[in-house]
């Protein structure tokens, strides 16, 4: 079964912009392969492995479906994995989104209060 370096796969699948960033993510102890921390960027991964790593404010969980031969366009990169992460939609929606303009200061305060209550 073909295998590929972990940092190279993260770069091919377009989760990071450069291989250097992928390597620093792995060395920092932020990537888990099959629920075990990956210690080195040269850790070999292949189809069937499950990766867990942070991306922005979210924790991504992906199952590797294939290894990439190159860093191609985004549609090609999305075929390399299956996303197992829960979908979070925590972007506050503006009450006047339907073309009615920006919310007023009072409406923004109410949105912030509602969001703070949801997080509790």
């Amino acid at each position: 079964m073909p295998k590929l370096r972990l940092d190279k796969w993260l770069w091919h699948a377009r989760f990071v912009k450069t291989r250097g960033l992928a390597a620093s993510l792995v060395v920092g102890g932020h990537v888990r392969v099959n629920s075990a921390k990956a210690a080195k960027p040269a850790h070999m991964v292949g189809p069937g492995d499950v990766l867990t790593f942070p991306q922005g404010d979210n924790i991504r969980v992906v199952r590797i479906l294939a290894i990439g031969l190159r860093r191609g366009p985004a549609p090609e990169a999305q075929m390399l994995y299956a996303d197992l992460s829960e979908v979070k939609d925590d972007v506050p929606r503006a009450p006047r989104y339907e073309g009615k303009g920006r919310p007023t200061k009072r409406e923004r305060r109410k949105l912030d209060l509602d969001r703070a209550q949801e997080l509790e």
Side-chain angles (χ1 to χ4, degrees), residues 59-109:
I59 301 295
R60 299 292 302 262
V61 180
V62 296
R63 173 173 282 121
I64 298 175
L65 300 178
I67 60 170
L69 301 176
R70 66 187 184 114
R71 180 178 162 93
E76 183 179 315
Q78 290 170 352
M79 295 175 63
L80 299 179
Y81 63 91
D83 197 358
L84 305 175
S85 306
E86 352 176 306
V87 177
K88 285 186 181 179
D89 188 26
D90 56 20
V91 177
R93 301 292 178 207
R96 297 182 177 191
Y97 182 74
E98 293 82 24
K100 297 179 183 173
R102 294 173 50 182
T104 63
K105 189 169 186 175
R106 182 177 185 180
E107 291 169 336
R108 282 191 313 236
R109 285 183 185 148

Side-chain angles (χ1 to χ4, degrees), residues 57-58 87-95 97 111-112 114-115 118-119:
D57 293 337
N58 300 324
V87 177
K88 285 186 181 179
D89 188 26
D90 56 20
V91 177
R93 301 292 178 207
Y97 182 74
L111 282 173
D112 291 341
D114 291 343
R115 187 165 186 220
E118 286 177 5
L119 295 175

Side-chain angles (χ1 to χ4, degrees), residues 4-23 25-26 51 53 68-73 77 80-81:
L4 188 66
R5 287 175 57 113
L6 177 57
D7 62 338
K8 205 169 185 179
W9 189 88
L10 287 169
W11 180 63
H12 281 190
R14 293 185 162 269
F15 287 112
V16 290
K17 286 188 178 186
T18 65
R19 274 187 67 189
L21 288 175
L25 187 69
V26 175
L51 304 180
F53 56 94
L69 301 176
R70 66 187 184 114
R71 180 178 162 93
L80 299 179
Y81 63 91

